[in-house]
């Protein structure tokens, strides 16, 4: 039942995003993968709506759960990778 509810919510969110003109961050690539320095395309079936109202997609539920253990740090890394993959390498060396 929980899976059906999650799928239903993701479907609703996708429809709502289209209606509002919202697009997922990182062109729908997996945010957790981005934070680890990889690019994995998704169909945005697993999403997280940030407190700022941004939509982040994930390859699967496990990636989302891992991401949400440290969302701010993972967002910083994902954004760094999106902006310039070499910057993420520098951030990872510093940590």
């Amino acid at each position: 039942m929980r899976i059906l509810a999650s799928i239903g919510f993701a479907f609703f969110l996708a429809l709502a995003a289209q209606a509002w003109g919202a697009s997922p961050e990182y062109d729908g690539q997996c945010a957790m993968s981005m934070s680890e320095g990889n690019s994995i395309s998704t169909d945005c079936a697993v999403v997280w709506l940030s407190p700022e109202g941004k939509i982040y997609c994930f390859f699967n539920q496990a990636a989302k759960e891992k991401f949400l253990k440290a969302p701010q740090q993972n967002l910083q890394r994902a954004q760094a990778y999106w902006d310039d993959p070499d910057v993420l390498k520098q951030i990872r060396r510093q940590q």
Side-chain angles (χ1 to χ4, degrees):
M1 183 68 177
R2 186 174 181 188
I3 292 172
L4 290 176
S6 295
I7 291 171
F9 178 73
F11 181 73
F12 170 76
L13 186 58
L15 289 176
Q18 289 177 356
W20 294 325
S23 297
E25 297 297 303
Y26 313 128
D27 289 337
Q29 295 184 58
C30 178
M32 186 65 228
S33 296
M34 297 280 293
S35 74
E36 294 174 334
N38 301 302
S39 296
I40 297 178
S41 296
T42 73
D43 60 3
C44 289
V46 179
V47 297
W48 173 57
L49 183 61
S50 75
E52 294 81 21
K54 294 182 178 182
I55 302 168
Y56 295 92
C57 300
F58 298 89
F59 180 71
N60 58 27
Q61 187 64 30
K64 178 182 174 182
E65 290 171 8
K66 184 177 179 182
F67 183 89
L68 292 176
K69 288 181 181 178
Q72 293 304 320
Q73 182 180 26
N74 288 323
L75 280 174
Q76 178 188 16
R77 288 180 175 180
Q79 188 63 48
Y81 181 78
W82 181 253
D83 293 340
D84 182 354
D86 291 332
V87 172
L88 178 60
K89 291 176 187 176
Q90 293 171 359
I91 291 171
R92 293 179 84 181
R93 278 189 224 122
Q94 293 172 359
Q95 295 177 344

